[in-house]
Structures are given as structure tokens and as C-alpha cells.
Amino acid sequence: MKLSGWWKNRSSAGKVELYTRWSFHFFVVLEIVSIGLAVLGSTGGKGSPAVPVALFLMVCAHSLLVGFLSSRSLDWILGRRERPVRLAVAVTALTAAATLGVLGLRVAGLTGDPATAPTLVAGMTCYASGTLVLCLRKVRQMRYVAPGAAAYVGLAFLAFGVPAGESAGLAVGVLLTSALISAACGFSGWLLDTVCELDRAREVQAQLAVAEERLRFGRDLHDVMGRNLAVIALKSELAVQLARRERPEAVDQMIEVQRIARESQKEVRDVVRGYREANLAVELEGARGVLHAAGMDCLVEYEQGRELPAEAQSALGWVVREATTNVLRHGDARSCVIRLTAAPSGTLTLVVENDGAPKAPAGPPGSGLAGLRERLAVLDGTLEAGPVDGGRFRLRAQIPGPAAGPIRELEARA
């Protein structure tokens, strides 16, 4: 259960990052097993075991440095640190020095098995070239890594007296293997970068959805109140001037100001009513869409229950809206469940529960939950909110009501 939650609670980008990192960590083990152990099992020149042990330790050091470079390169791809140029140069230098040292031991007859030197040189070169690809951003730069590694191996063997045919064969083998590993590493880096960009885009989309709703309300309120307030200001100023001159028309102007003010109140109530009287089905679908856009696993459920009165639907719609905003703003939620149930007595219960709840509040309590309690109190409803077991946060709203007809059952998963 812990392992399942440890994986399930991660976002899509987090899962891809974890999979990619452990894939490169596996390369470290693979290099040691496929090359290091093979060399360790061979017999050194003149029966000496010191050379195989030294070569095994060299492979271990090389694989660890390559794994460290891959980890730093992934951090660079994700924008968490600068490009590990010095580390890449160190890996290249170590690979070159190690392969030249192996060839020198081969010439001196200290490697024992004739296949030891080609295995070490080709293996370390291929693993290093694949990791070096992660340090490059453009494909036209990556495509030179495999040919460069193959040319280096071919020339190195030729320089140490290996026949041209055998050197060419080793170079071709390194070319094909390095090209395959480089393509896999380059694709893994590109995929991780793309998924993280999409995850950031979803987060921005969720923030824009909230900002757009605020702008819409502000725009509607400005359109309603802007002209009326300007007229009220002008007529009030005119009434003041007329009153100073003791003109009877001042009373007419103030009556007109009073009429415009009442009309403004009515228009504002109409605007706010349209904003407050949220349709519950629309709010639930909007919450599902916004949370899905933020990269969360969102489950919205209607259980078999009762027909919702207009007042209860509006109040619960506001609960869904405020709860969704809190899920986006606070904590690091990866999953969210929104569930509405109705008892036979007509009592409506709305539960919004999400994971990733912070251990301590990030700041002073806001007015959102207090406003929800006031709305529900009009309907004799209650609101409970707080952390529960498992690092989750639960908001529970309840409204008593008379029994009514059934509501449609709805279940949607994002």
C-alpha cells in the first residue's frame, strides 16, 4: 500500500522523472555487471589477479561518475541547475585516460584474455557517449557524439598496433552501439523536458482560469457601476450648487440621485446573483476540468439521492468553487474526490477531500471558509474543514432538507 501510494500520488511529470532517473541509475549497475564482472572473472597476465581487480575498480569508478553526470544533466534539463560542463569534461577525460591505459596494458600483455581490452574500451566509451548526449540541447549536436566515439576507438586501437581490419570492426561496433544508446538517452531527456513543460502549462492554465473568472466579475461590475456612479457624482455636485443658491431644483436633483442609487443597487444585486447562484452541475464540471488541467486525478460523484432545491444548489455550488480554489492554492495535491450524497431524510452532504495537505497553515486563515459557513447557516447547514489521516484534507458541508425526488447519478474521472 505504501509503495502504491508513493507512486500514485506523484504527478505525471513526477512519474516520468522518477522512471527516467532510475533508468539511468540502472545503467550504472549494468555497466558494472556487464563489463566490470566480466573483467574481474578473467585471468590477468602471467596469472596475476591484481590487474583484473584494478580494472574492475576502474570500471566501478567510471560507472559512478557517468551516473552522477546523468543525474546532474537531468537536473539541467529540468532547469534546476546549470549545465554540468566541467563534469562532462571530467567524464570525457576519465574515459579517454582509462581506455588508453587499458590499451597500454594490452600491449604489455597484462590483460590476459584478448577480449578484455576491446570489451572495456568499447563498453566505457559507449556508456560515456550516451550520457554526454544528455548535456546537449540540439539534435544536430547530439548526432556527432557516436561518430566521434567510434573514430576515437578506431584511431586508439590503430595507434597501439592493432590491425586496421580489427580496428575498423571495433569502430563500427562502437558506432552502432553508441548511436543506439545516444538515441535512447536523447529521447529520454526530450520526453522528460516535454512532460514537465506540459505540467507547468497545466498549472498556468489553472491559474488563468481563476484569474479569468475574477476579471469577468470585475468587468461586469465596472460596466454596471461605472456610468451610474459618474451620473450620481455629477448630479450630487449640481445639487450642492443649487442648494447653495437656495434653488428648489436641488431637491429634484437629490431625488434623481436617490433613484439612480436604488437602480444601481438592483443592478449590482443582479450581477452578484448571477455570480453567486452557481449551478452545481456546472461547478462540479468546472472543478473537474480545472483540477485536471492542474495535473490532478479528480473524481466527481453523485450518489443516488434527492432533487436539489435552488437555494441548496447555489450554496453547495459556492462550496465546490471555494474548495477547488483552496486545493489549487494550498498544499501539493495530486488527487481530489468530490462526492455528493443525500440521505432518505433529505440531508445533503458534500465532501471534498484531497491529498498533499500541508502540515501547518501557510498563513493566517482567510475569509473564504467563514463566508461559506455564513451561506450554509442561512439553510441551517454546517461546514467542517481540516486535515485527516494520511496527509489528506477534508471539507464537509451538510444541509438538512425535506425528502424530494431522485437526482441523476453522475461519475466522471479526470
Side-chain angles (χ1 to χ4, degrees):
M1 293 295 293
K2 291 183 178 180
L3 181 61
S4 175
W6 169 75
W7 172 261
K8 184 179 179 181
N9 292 337
R10 292 180 177 271
S11 64
S12 298
K15 292 177 180 178
V16 173
E17 180 184 354
L18 184 64
Y19 172 78
T20 304
R21 286 187 180 276
W22 279 103
S23 297
F24 284 103
H25 293 338
F26 177 72
F27 279 177
V28 175
V29 180
L30 188 62
E31 182 178 354
I32 295 175
V33 172
S34 61
I35 302 175
L37 293 182
V39 173
L40 188 62
S42 65
T43 303
K46 301 178 182 180
S48 174
V51 173
V53 173
L55 293 177
F56 173 75
L57 295 177
M58 180 189 67
V59 172
C60 291
H62 181 268
S63 63
L64 291 175
L65 187 60
V66 167
F68 190 59
L69 175 60
S70 65
S71 179
R72 290 297 183 92
S73 299
L74 292 178
D75 289 338
W76 168 67
I77 291 174
L78 296 175
R80 298 172 183 171
R81 64 172 65 245
E82 296 180 356
R83 190 201 304 253
V85 178
R86 295 182 179 178
L87 188 57
V89 173
V91 169
T92 304
L94 176 62
T95 304
T99 53
L100 293 178
V102 169
L103 291 176
L105 293 175
R106 181 180 185 273
V107 172
L110 297 178
T111 57
D113 190 349
T116 299
T119 300
L120 284 172
V121 173
M124 289 190 295
T125 303
C126 291
Y127 280 113
S129 62
T131 306
L132 290 174
V133 166
L134 293 175
C135 301
L136 303 175
R137 180 73 71 181
K138 299 179 180 179
V139 177
R140 64 172 177 266
Q141 298 172 341
M142 299 178 184
R143 63 185 181 184
Y144 295 116
V145 175
Y152 165 76
V153 170
L155 293 175
F157 273 92
L158 280 175
F160 280 86
V162 178
E166 184 179 352
S167 299
L170 289 171
V172 171
V174 170
L175 174 63
L176 296 177
T177 307
S178 296
L180 180 62
I181 296 178
S182 298
C185 294
F187 177 77
S188 298
W190 170 83
L191 179 62
L192 178 61
D193 182 45
T194 302
V195 171
C196 291
E197 284 292 336
L198 290 175
D199 189 62
R200 287 190 288 267
R202 287 176 177 177
E203 183 178 355
V204 173
Q205 183 180 4
Q207 295 174 355
L208 289 177
V210 176
E212 183 179 359
E213 180 64 17
R214 292 176 176 175
L215 289 175
R216 184 197 67 81
F217 179 73
R219 182 177 61 251
D220 293 346
L221 191 62
H222 176 271
D223 293 342
V224 169
M225 294 298 297
R227 181 186 62 85
N228 290 347
L229 289 177
V231 174
I232 288 175
L234 290 175
K235 287 188 172 294
S236 299
E237 183 179 357
L238 178 59
V240 170
Q241 298 295 332
L242 292 175
R244 288 175 177 175
R245 300 174 185 176
E246 298 181 355
R247 300 281 297 274
E249 292 87 349
V251 177
D252 297 333
Q253 294 297 328
M254 291 308 301
I255 293 175
E256 183 68 12
V257 168
Q258 186 181 39
R259 183 189 65 81
I260 296 175
R262 289 176 177 174
E263 289 183 356
S264 299
Q265 286 181 327
K266 180 178 179 299
E267 291 176 352
V268 170
R269 281 195 296 266
D270 292 339
V271 172
V272 175
R273 185 181 298 113
Y275 187 70
R276 287 184 174 178
E277 293 181 356
N279 182 277
L280 183 57
V282 174
E283 291 299 329
L284 289 171
E285 181 62 22
R288 185 201 64 80
V290 170
L291 295 178
H292 172 67
M296 301 181 197
D297 182 24
C298 181
L299 178 66
V300 180
E301 293 180 345
Y302 272 104
E303 294 185 358
Q304 192 67 29
R306 308 293 177 179
E307 189 70 33
L308 299 182
E311 299 82 358
Q313 186 172 176
S314 176
L316 292 178
W318 259 101
V319 173
V320 172
R321 182 181 296 178
E322 180 66 23
T324 303
T325 302
N326 290 339
V327 171
L328 292 173
R329 286 181 175 177
H330 308 298
D332 187 19
R334 300 302 179 191
S335 63
C336 180
V337 175
I338 304 176
R339 182 179 296 111
L340 174 66
T341 57
S345 61
T347 300
L348 301 172
T349 302
L350 177 68
V351 175
V352 182
E353 184 173 328
N354 63 277
D355 63 353
K359 296 181 179 179
S367 59
L369 295 182
L372 293 181
R373 289 190 175 92
E374 293 175 359
R375 295 176 187 274
L376 294 173
V378 176
L379 303 175
D380 296 327
T382 59
L383 179 72
E384 299 175 357
V388 294
D389 295 339
R392 303 181 68 84
F393 188 90
R394 179 183 299 163
L395 185 147
R396 183 174 179 270
Q398 194 171 61
I399 298 178
I407 63 173
R408 181 172 58 89
E409 184 174 355
L410 169 66
E411 181 173 316
R413 175 176 285 276

